[in-house]
Coordinates of all heavy atoms in Angstrom, one line a residue:
M1 N 19.3 38.3 167.0 CA 18.0 38.9 167.3 C 17.5 38.2 168.6 O 16.8 38.9 169.3 CB 17.0 38.6 166.1 CG 15.7 39.3 166.4 SD 14.5 39.4 165.2 CE 15.4 39.9 163.7
I2 N 17.7 37.0 168.8 CA 17.2 36.3 170.0 C 17.8 36.9 171.2 O 17.2 37.2 172.2 CB 17.4 34.8 169.9 CG1 16.5 34.2 168.9 CG2 17.2 34.2 171.3 CD1 16.7 32.7 168.6
K3 N 19.1 37.3 171.1 CA 19.8 37.9 172.2 C 19.2 39.3 172.5 O 18.9 39.6 173.7 CB 21.3 38.1 172.0 CG 22.0 38.7 173.1 CD 23.5 38.9 172.8 CE 24.2 39.5 174.0 NZ 25.5 40.0 173.7
A4 N 18.8 40.0 171.5 CA 18.2 41.4 171.7 C 16.8 41.2 172.3 O 16.5 42.0 173.2 CB 18.1 42.1 170.3
I5 N 16.1 40.2 171.9 CA 14.8 40.0 172.5 C 14.9 39.6 174.0 O 14.2 40.1 174.8 CB 14.0 38.9 171.7 CG1 13.6 39.5 170.3 CG2 12.7 38.5 172.5 CD1 13.1 38.4 169.4
T6 N 15.9 38.8 174.3 CA 16.1 38.4 175.7 C 16.5 39.6 176.5 O 16.0 39.7 177.6 CB 17.3 37.3 175.7 OG1 16.9 36.2 174.9 CG2 17.5 36.9 177.1
E7 N 17.3 40.5 176.0 CA 17.7 41.7 176.7 C 16.5 42.6 177.0 O 16.4 43.1 178.1 CB 18.8 42.4 176.0 CG 20.2 41.6 176.0 CD 21.2 42.3 175.1 OE1 20.9 43.3 174.5 OE2 22.3 41.7 175.1
I8 N 15.7 42.7 176.0 CA 14.5 43.5 176.1 C 13.6 42.9 177.2 O 13.1 43.6 178.1 CB 13.7 43.7 174.8 CG1 14.5 44.5 173.8 CG2 12.3 44.2 175.0 CD1 14.0 44.5 172.4
A9 N 13.4 41.6 177.1 CA 12.5 40.9 178.1 C 13.1 41.0 179.5 O 12.3 41.2 180.5 CB 12.3 39.5 177.7
A10 N 14.4 40.9 179.7 CA 15.0 41.0 181.0 C 14.8 42.4 181.6 O 14.8 42.5 182.8 CB 16.5 40.6 180.9
A11 N 14.7 43.4 180.8 CA 14.6 44.8 181.3 C 13.1 45.2 181.6 O 12.9 46.2 182.2 CB 15.2 45.8 180.3
M12 N 12.2 44.3 181.3 CA 10.8 44.6 181.5 C 10.3 44.2 182.8 O 10.8 43.2 183.4 CB 9.9 43.9 180.4 CG 10.1 44.3 179.0 SD 9.1 43.3 178.0 CE 8.8 44.3 176.6
P13 N 9.2 44.9 183.3 CA 8.6 44.3 184.5 C 8.0 43.0 184.2 O 7.7 42.7 183.0 CB 7.4 45.3 184.8 CG 7.8 46.6 184.0 CD 8.6 46.1 182.9
L14 N 7.8 42.1 185.2 CA 7.3 40.7 184.9 C 6.0 40.7 184.2 O 5.8 39.9 183.2 CB 7.1 40.0 186.3 CG 6.6 38.6 186.2 CD1 7.5 37.7 185.3 CD2 6.4 38.0 187.6
A15 N 5.0 41.6 184.5 CA 3.8 41.6 183.8 C 3.9 41.8 182.3 O 3.3 41.2 181.4 CB 2.8 42.6 184.4
R16 N 4.9 42.7 181.9 CA 5.1 43.0 180.5 C 5.8 41.8 179.8 O 5.6 41.5 178.7 CB 5.9 44.2 180.3 CG 5.3 45.5 180.8 CD 4.1 45.9 179.9 NE 4.6 46.4 178.7 CZ 3.8 46.8 177.7 NH1 2.5 46.7 177.8 NH2 4.3 47.3 176.6
T17 N 6.7 41.1 180.6 CA 7.4 39.9 180.1 C 6.4 38.8 179.8 O 6.5 38.1 178.7 CB 8.5 39.4 181.1 OG1 9.3 40.5 181.3 CG2 9.2 38.3 180.5
V18 N 5.4 38.7 180.6 CA 4.3 37.7 180.4 C 3.6 38.0 179.1 O 3.3 37.2 178.3 CB 3.4 37.6 181.6 CG1 2.2 36.8 181.3 CG2 4.1 37.0 182.8
Q19 N 3.3 39.3 178.9 CA 2.6 39.8 177.7 C 3.4 39.5 176.5 O 2.9 39.0 175.4 CB 2.3 41.2 177.8 CG 1.2 41.6 178.8 CD 1.0 43.1 178.9 OE1 1.9 43.9 178.7 NE2 -0.3 43.4 179.3
L20 N 4.7 39.7 176.6 CA 5.6 39.4 175.5 C 5.6 37.9 175.1 O 5.5 37.6 173.9 CB 7.1 39.9 175.8 CG 8.2 39.6 174.8 CD1 7.9 40.4 173.5 CD2 9.5 40.0 175.3
Y21 N 5.6 37.1 176.1 CA 5.6 35.7 175.9 C 4.3 35.3 175.3 O 4.3 34.5 174.3 CB 5.8 35.0 177.3 CG 5.6 33.5 177.2 CD1 6.5 32.7 176.6 CD2 4.4 32.9 177.7 CE1 6.4 31.3 176.5 CE2 4.3 31.5 177.6 CZ 5.2 30.7 177.1 OH 5.0 29.3 177.0
Q22 N 3.2 35.8 175.8 CA 1.9 35.5 175.2 C 1.8 35.9 173.8 O 1.2 35.2 172.9 CB 0.7 36.1 176.1 CG 0.6 35.5 177.4 CD -0.3 36.3 178.3 OE1 -0.5 37.5 178.2 NE2 -0.9 35.6 179.3
F23 N 2.3 37.1 173.4 CA 2.3 37.6 172.1 C 3.2 36.7 171.2 O 2.8 36.3 170.1 CB 2.8 39.0 172.0 CG 2.7 39.6 170.6 CD1 1.4 39.7 170.0 CD2 3.8 40.0 169.9 CE1 1.3 40.3 168.8 CE2 3.7 40.6 168.7 CZ 2.4 40.7 168.1
A24 N 4.3 36.2 171.7 CA 5.2 35.3 170.9 C 4.4 34.0 170.6 O 4.5 33.5 169.5 CB 6.5 35.0 171.7
L25 N 3.7 33.5 171.6 CA 2.9 32.3 171.4 C 1.8 32.5 170.3 O 1.5 31.7 169.5 CB 2.2 31.8 172.7 CG 3.1 31.2 173.7 CD1 2.3 30.9 175.0 CD2 3.8 30.0 173.2
F26 N 1.2 33.7 170.4 CA 0.2 34.1 169.4 C 0.8 34.1 168.0 O 0.3 33.5 167.0 CB -0.4 35.4 169.7 CG -1.3 36.0 168.6 CD1 -2.6 35.6 168.5 CD2 -0.8 36.9 167.7 CE1 -3.4 36.1 167.4 CE2 -1.6 37.4 166.6 CZ -2.9 37.0 166.5
L27 N 2.0 34.7 167.8 CA 2.6 34.8 166.5 C 3.0 33.4 166.0 O 2.9 33.1 164.8 CB 3.9 35.6 166.6 CG 3.6 37.1 166.8 CD1 5.0 37.9 167.0 CD2 2.9 37.7 165.7
K28 N 3.4 32.5 167.0 CA 3.8 31.2 166.6 C 2.6 30.4 166.0 O 2.8 29.6 165.1 CB 4.4 30.4 167.8 CG 4.8 29.0 167.6 CD 5.4 28.4 168.9 CE 5.7 27.0 168.6 NZ 6.2 26.3 169.9
T29 N 1.4 30.6 166.6 CA 0.3 29.8 166.2 C -0.6 30.5 165.1 O -1.6 29.9 164.7 CB -0.6 29.5 167.4 OG1 -1.0 30.7 168.0 CG2 0.2 28.6 168.4
H30 N -0.3 31.7 164.8 CA -1.1 32.5 163.8 C -0.2 33.0 162.7 O 0.4 34.1 162.8 CB -1.9 33.6 164.4 CG -2.9 33.2 165.4 ND1 -2.6 32.8 166.7 CD2 -4.2 33.1 165.3 CE1 -3.7 32.4 167.3 NE2 -4.7 32.6 166.4
P31 N -0.1 32.3 161.6 CA 0.8 32.7 160.5 C 0.3 34.0 159.9 O -0.9 34.3 159.9 CB 0.8 31.6 159.5 CG -0.5 30.9 159.8 CD -0.8 31.1 161.3
L32 N 1.2 34.7 159.3 CA 0.9 35.9 158.5 C 0.1 35.5 157.3 O 0.3 34.4 156.8 CB 2.2 36.7 158.2 CG 2.9 37.3 159.3 CD1 4.3 37.8 158.8 CD2 2.1 38.4 160.0
P33 N -0.7 36.4 156.8 CA -1.5 36.0 155.6 C -0.6 35.5 154.4 O -1.0 34.5 153.8 CB -2.2 37.3 155.2 CG -2.3 38.1 156.5 CD -1.0 37.7 157.3
G34 N 0.5 36.0 154.2 CA 1.4 35.5 153.1 C 2.0 34.2 153.4 O 2.5 33.5 152.4
E35 N 1.9 33.7 154.6 CA 2.5 32.4 155.0 C 1.4 31.3 154.9 O 1.7 30.1 155.0 CB 3.1 32.4 156.4 CG 4.2 33.4 156.5 CD 4.6 33.6 158.0 OE1 3.9 33.3 158.9 OE2 5.8 34.1 158.1
E36 N 0.1 31.7 154.7 CA -0.9 30.7 154.7 C -1.2 30.2 153.3 O -1.1 30.9 152.4 CB -2.2 31.3 155.3 CG -2.2 31.6 156.8 CD -3.5 32.2 157.3 OE1 -3.9 33.3 156.8 OE2 -4.1 31.5 158.1
T37 N -1.6 28.9 153.2 CA -2.0 28.4 151.9 C -3.5 28.8 151.6 O -4.2 29.2 152.6 CB -1.9 26.9 151.9 OG1 -2.9 26.4 152.8 CG2 -0.6 26.4 152.2
F38 N -3.9 28.7 150.4 CA -5.2 29.1 150.0 C -6.2 28.2 150.8 O -7.2 28.7 151.3 CB -5.4 28.9 148.5 CG -6.9 29.1 148.1 CD1 -7.4 30.4 148.0 CD2 -7.7 28.0 147.9 CE1 -8.7 30.6 147.6 CE2 -9.1 28.2 147.5 CZ -9.5 29.5 147.4
E39 N -5.9 26.9 151.0 CA -6.7 26.0 151.7 C -6.9 26.4 153.1 O -8.0 26.3 153.7 CB -6.2 24.6 151.6 CG -6.3 24.0 150.2 CD -5.2 24.4 149.2 OE1 -4.2 25.0 149.7 OE2 -5.4 24.2 148.0
E40 N -5.8 26.8 153.8 CA -5.9 27.3 155.2 C -6.7 28.5 155.3 O -7.5 28.6 156.2 CB -4.5 27.5 155.7 CG -3.6 26.3 155.9 CD -2.2 26.6 156.2 OE1 -1.6 27.6 155.7 OE2 -1.6 25.8 157.0
V41 N -6.6 29.5 154.4 CA -7.4 30.7 154.4 C -8.9 30.3 154.2 O -9.7 30.8 154.9 CB -6.9 31.7 153.3 CG1 -7.9 32.9 153.2 CG2 -5.5 32.2 153.6
A42 N -9.2 29.5 153.3 CA -10.6 29.1 153.0 C -11.2 28.4 154.2 O -12.3 28.6 154.6 CB -10.6 28.2 151.7
A43 N -10.4 27.5 154.9 CA -10.9 26.8 156.0 C -11.2 27.8 157.2 O -12.2 27.7 157.9 CB -9.9 25.7 156.5
D44 N -10.3 28.8 157.4 CA -10.5 29.8 158.4 C -11.7 30.6 158.1 O -12.5 30.9 159.0 CB -9.2 30.6 158.5 CG -9.3 31.6 159.7 OD1 -9.5 31.1 160.8 OD2 -9.1 32.8 159.5
E45 N -11.9 31.0 156.8 CA -13.1 31.8 156.5 C -14.3 31.0 156.7 O -15.4 31.6 157.1 CB -13.0 32.2 155.0 CG -11.9 33.2 154.7 CD -12.2 34.6 155.4 OE1 -13.3 35.0 155.5 OE2 -11.2 35.2 155.9
A46 N -14.3 29.7 156.4 CA -15.5 28.9 156.7 C -15.9 28.8 158.1 O -17.1 28.9 158.5 CB -15.3 27.5 156.1
I47 N -14.9 28.8 159.0 CA -15.1 28.8 160.4 C -15.8 30.1 160.9 O -16.8 30.1 161.6 CB -13.8 28.5 161.2 CG1 -13.3 27.1 161.0 CG2 -14.0 28.8 162.7 CD1 -11.9 26.8 161.5
W48 N -15.2 31.2 160.4 CA -15.8 32.5 160.7 C -17.2 32.7 160.2 O -18.1 33.2 160.9 CB -14.9 33.7 160.1 CG -13.7 34.0 161.0 CD1 -12.4 33.6 160.8 CD2 -13.7 34.7 162.2 NE1 -11.6 34.0 161.8 CE2 -12.4 34.8 162.7 CE3 -14.7 35.4 162.9 CZ2 -12.0 35.4 163.8 CZ3 -14.3 36.1 164.1 CH2 -13.0 36.1 164.5
D49 N -17.4 32.2 159.0 CA -18.8 32.3 158.4 C -19.8 31.5 159.2 O -20.9 32.0 159.5 CB -18.8 31.8 157.0 CG -18.1 32.7 156.0 OD1 -17.8 33.9 156.3 OD2 -17.8 32.2 154.9
T50 N -19.4 30.3 159.7 CA -20.2 29.5 160.5 C -20.5 30.2 161.9 O -21.7 30.2 162.3 CB -19.6 28.1 160.8 OG1 -19.4 27.5 159.5 CG2 -20.5 27.2 161.6
Q51 N -19.5 30.8 162.5 CA -19.7 31.4 163.7 C -20.6 32.6 163.6 O -21.5 32.8 164.5 CB -18.3 31.9 164.3 CG -17.5 30.7 164.8 CD -16.1 31.1 165.3 OE1 -15.6 32.1 164.9 NE2 -15.5 30.3 166.1
F52 N -20.4 33.4 162.6 CA -21.3 34.6 162.4 C -22.7 34.2 162.1 O -23.6 34.8 162.6 CB -20.7 35.5 161.3 CG -19.6 36.4 161.8 CD1 -18.4 36.3 161.3 CD2 -19.9 37.4 162.8 CE1 -17.3 37.2 161.8 CE2 -18.9 38.3 163.3 CZ -17.6 38.1 162.7
A53 N -22.9 33.2 161.3 CA -24.2 32.7 161.0 C -24.9 32.2 162.2 O -26.2 32.3 162.3 CB -24.2 31.6 159.9
A54 N -24.2 31.6 163.2 CA -24.8 31.1 164.4 C -25.0 32.1 165.5 O -25.6 31.8 166.5 CB -23.9 29.9 164.9
T55 N -24.5 33.3 165.3 CA -24.6 34.4 166.3 C -25.9 35.2 166.0 O -26.1 35.7 164.9 CB -23.4 35.3 166.3 OG1 -22.2 34.4 166.5 CG2 -23.4 36.3 167.4
N56 N -26.6 35.4 167.1 CA -27.8 36.3 167.0 C -27.4 37.7 166.6 O -26.5 38.3 167.2 CB -28.5 36.2 168.4 CG -29.7 37.0 168.5 OD1 -29.7 38.3 168.3 ND2 -30.8 36.4 168.7
D57 N -28.1 38.2 165.7 CA -27.9 39.6 165.2 C -28.0 40.6 166.3 O -27.3 41.6 166.3 CB -28.8 40.0 164.0 CG -28.4 39.3 162.7 OD1 -27.2 38.7 162.6 OD2 -29.2 39.2 161.8
D58 N -28.9 40.4 167.2 CA -29.1 41.4 168.3 C -27.9 41.4 169.2 O -27.5 42.4 169.7 CB -30.4 41.0 169.1 CG -31.6 41.2 168.4 OD1 -31.6 42.1 167.4 OD2 -32.7 40.6 168.7
K59 N -27.3 40.2 169.4 CA -26.0 40.1 170.2 C -24.9 40.9 169.6 O -24.1 41.6 170.2 CB -25.7 38.7 170.5 CG -26.6 38.0 171.5 CD -26.2 36.6 171.8 CE -27.1 36.0 172.8 NZ -26.7 34.6 173.2
L60 N -24.8 40.7 168.2 CA -23.7 41.4 167.5 C -24.0 42.9 167.6 O -23.0 43.7 167.7 CB -23.7 40.9 166.1 CG -23.1 39.6 165.8 CD1 -23.2 39.2 164.4 CD2 -21.6 39.5 166.3
A61 N -25.2 43.3 167.4 CA -25.5 44.8 167.5 C -25.2 45.3 168.8 O -24.7 46.4 168.9 CB -27.0 45.0 167.1
A62 N -25.5 44.6 169.9 CA -25.2 45.0 171.3 C -23.7 45.1 171.4 O -23.2 46.1 172.1 CB -25.8 44.1 172.3
L63 N -22.9 44.2 170.9 CA -21.5 44.3 171.0 C -20.9 45.5 170.3 O -20.1 46.2 170.8 CB -20.9 43.0 170.4 CG -19.3 42.9 170.4 CD1 -18.8 43.0 171.8 CD2 -18.9 41.7 169.7
V64 N -21.5 45.8 169.1 CA -21.0 47.0 168.3 C -21.3 48.2 169.2 O -20.5 49.1 169.3 CB -21.7 47.1 167.0 CG1 -21.5 48.4 166.3 CG2 -21.2 45.9 166.1
V65 N -22.5 48.3 169.7 CA -22.9 49.5 170.6 C -21.9 49.6 171.7 O -21.4 50.7 172.0 CB -24.3 49.4 171.1 CG1 -24.6 50.4 172.1 CG2 -25.3 49.5 169.9
A66 N -21.6 48.5 172.4 CA -20.7 48.6 173.5 C -19.3 49.0 173.1 O -18.6 49.8 173.8 CB -20.6 47.2 174.2
V67 N -18.8 48.5 172.0 CA -17.4 48.9 171.5 C -17.4 50.4 171.1 O -16.5 51.1 171.5 CB -17.0 48.0 170.3 CG1 -15.8 48.6 169.7 CG2 -16.8 46.6 170.8
E68 N -18.4 50.8 170.4 CA -18.5 52.2 170.0 C -18.6 53.1 171.3 O -18.0 54.2 171.3 CB -19.7 52.5 169.1 CG -19.4 51.9 167.7 CD -20.7 52.0 166.8 OE1 -21.8 52.3 167.3 OE2 -20.5 51.8 165.6
A69 N -19.3 52.7 172.3 CA -19.4 53.5 173.5 C -18.0 53.6 174.2 O -17.6 54.7 174.6 CB -20.4 52.9 174.5
G70 N -17.3 52.5 174.2 CA -16.0 52.5 174.8 C -15.0 53.4 174.0 O -14.2 54.2 174.6
I71 N -15.1 53.4 172.7 CA -14.3 54.3 171.9 C -14.7 55.8 172.2 O -13.8 56.6 172.4 CB -14.5 54.0 170.4 CG1 -13.9 52.6 170.1 CG2 -13.8 55.1 169.5 CD1 -14.2 52.1 168.7
N72 N -16.0 56.1 172.2 CA -16.4 57.5 172.4 C -16.1 58.0 173.8 O -15.9 59.2 174.0 CB -17.9 57.6 172.1 CG -18.3 57.3 170.6 OD1 -17.5 57.5 169.8 ND2 -19.5 56.9 170.4
E73 N -16.0 57.1 174.7 CA -15.7 57.5 176.1 C -14.2 57.6 176.4 O -13.8 57.9 177.5 CB -16.4 56.5 177.1 CG -17.9 56.6 177.1 CD -18.5 55.4 177.8 OE1 -17.8 54.7 178.6 OE2 -19.8 55.2 177.7
G74 N -13.4 57.3 175.4 CA -12.0 57.3 175.5 C -11.4 56.1 176.3 O -10.3 56.2 176.7
K75 N -12.2 55.1 176.4 CA -11.7 53.9 177.1 C -10.9 53.0 176.3 O -10.2 52.0 176.7 CB -12.9 53.1 177.7 CG -13.6 53.8 178.8 CD -14.8 53.0 179.3 CE -15.6 53.7 180.4 NZ -16.7 53.0 180.8
V76 N -10.9 53.2 175.0 CA -10.2 52.3 174.0 C -9.2 53.2 173.3 O -9.5 54.3 172.8 CB -11.2 51.8 173.0 CG1 -10.5 50.9 171.9 CG2 -12.3 51.0 173.7
L77 N -8.0 52.7 173.2 CA -6.9 53.4 172.6 C -6.5 52.7 171.3 O -6.5 51.5 171.3 CB -5.7 53.5 173.5 CG -6.0 54.3 174.8 CD1 -4.7 54.2 175.7 CD2 -6.3 55.7 174.6
P78 N -6.1 53.4 170.3 CA -5.7 52.8 169.0 C -4.4 52.0 169.2 O -3.5 52.5 170.0 CB -5.6 53.9 168.0 CG -5.3 55.1 168.9 CD -6.0 54.9 170.2
M79 N -4.2 50.9 168.5 CA -2.9 50.2 168.5 C -1.9 50.8 167.5 O -0.7 50.6 167.6 CB -3.2 48.7 168.2 CG -3.8 48.0 169.3 SD -4.0 46.2 168.9 CE -2.3 45.7 168.7
F80 N -2.5 51.4 166.4 CA -1.6 51.8 165.3 C -2.0 53.2 164.9 O -3.1 53.7 165.0 CB -1.8 50.9 164.1 CG -1.5 49.5 164.4 CD1 -2.5 48.6 164.6 CD2 -0.2 49.0 164.4 CE1 -2.3 47.2 164.9 CE2 0.1 47.7 164.7 CZ -1.0 46.8 165.0
D81 N -1.0 54.0 164.4 CA -1.2 55.4 164.0 C -1.7 55.3 162.5 O -1.9 54.3 161.9 CB 0.0 56.2 164.2 CG 1.2 55.8 163.3 OD1 1.0 55.1 162.3 OD2 2.3 56.3 163.6
A82 N -1.9 56.5 161.9 CA -2.4 56.6 160.6 C -1.4 56.0 159.5 O -1.8 55.7 158.4 CB -2.6 58.1 160.2
H83 N -0.2 55.8 159.9 CA 0.8 55.2 159.0 C 1.0 53.7 159.3 O 1.9 53.0 158.7 CB 2.2 55.9 159.1 CG 2.1 57.4 158.9 ND1 1.9 57.9 157.6 CD2 2.1 58.4 159.7 CE1 1.8 59.2 157.7 NE2 1.9 59.5 159.0
G84 N 0.2 53.1 160.2 CA 0.3 51.7 160.5 C 1.4 51.4 161.5 O 1.7 50.2 161.7
E85 N 2.0 52.4 162.1 CA 3.0 52.1 163.1 C 2.4 51.9 164.5 O 1.4 52.6 164.8 CB 4.0 53.4 163.2 CG 4.7 53.6 161.9 CD 5.7 52.5 161.5 OE1 6.3 52.0 162.4 OE2 5.8 52.2 160.3
F86 N 3.0 50.9 165.2 CA 2.5 50.6 166.6 C 2.6 51.8 167.5 O 3.6 52.5 167.5 CB 3.2 49.4 167.1 CG 2.8 49.0 168.5 CD1 1.6 48.4 168.7 CD2 3.6 49.3 169.6 CE1 1.2 48.0 169.9 CE2 3.2 48.9 170.9 CZ 2.0 48.2 171.0
I87 N 1.6 52.1 168.2 CA 1.6 53.2 169.2 C 1.8 52.6 170.6 O 1.0 51.7 171.0 CB 0.2 54.0 169.2 CG1 0.0 54.6 167.8 CG2 0.3 55.0 170.3 CD1 -1.4 55.2 167.7
E88 N 2.8 53.0 171.3 CA 3.1 52.5 172.7 C 2.4 53.5 173.6 O 2.9 54.7 173.7 CB 4.6 52.4 172.9 CG 4.8 51.8 174.3 CD 6.3 51.4 174.5 OE1 7.0 51.3 173.5 OE2 6.7 51.3 175.6
H89 N 1.4 53.1 174.3 CA 0.7 54.0 175.3 C 1.3 53.7 176.6 O 1.6 52.6 177.0 CB -0.8 53.6 175.3 CG -1.5 53.9 174.0 ND1 -1.9 55.1 173.6 CD2 -1.9 53.0 173.0 CE1 -2.5 55.0 172.4 NE2 -2.5 53.8 172.0
Q90 N 1.5 54.8 177.4 CA 2.1 54.7 178.7 C 1.2 55.2 179.8 O 0.4 56.0 179.6 CB 3.4 55.3 178.7 CG 4.3 54.7 177.7 CD 5.8 54.8 178.0 OE1 6.2 55.5 178.9 NE2 6.6 54.2 177.1

């Protein structure tokens, strides 16, 4: 599989190869839910709870409005289709 990934990366433009590398780093540092212990999940949830509690509701509302506007204007594309399959936009 490593050989196949190397071949794919070698055929990509440099910018895409950098994205592939960044995604691999993300995967390395962010385990899948099934790989996390209960304690790790609970600690992560506590961090999110603290961050949300410390964020001004008006700022969150403004963020929601901005994201919805981007979606409605067609500036945001979905990553996955209705079946959960990755969509490759070109």
Side-chain angles (χ1 to χ4, degrees):
M1 184 172 316
I2 292 175
K3 182 179 179 192
I5 293 170
T6 302
E7 290 171 1
I8 291 169
M12 293 177 154
L14 180 59
R16 296 293 283 178
T17 304
V18 170
Q19 290 175 333
L20 178 64
Y21 174 73
Q22 291 169 337
F23 186 63
L25 288 177
F26 171 82
L27 291 176
K28 180 180 177 183
T29 59
H30 293 79
L32 294 171
E35 298 170 341
E36 292 180 298
T37 65
F38 176 79
E39 291 77 15
E40 290 169 326
V41 172
D44 187 53
E45 290 295 323
I47 291 169
W48 279 100
D49 289 345
T50 301
Q51 288 175 336
F52 278 116
T55 303
N56 180 297
D57 287 342
D58 292 336
K59 288 183 180 181
L60 286 175
L63 178 61
V64 169
V65 168
V67 169
E68 288 175 344
I71 292 169
N72 293 335
E73 294 168 11
K75 294 179 180 177
V76 179
L77 299 173
M79 287 182 62
F80 303 99
D81 67 15
H83 304 288
E85 296 294 321
F86 181 73
I87 300 171
E88 185 171 341
H89 299 281
Q90 302 201 355

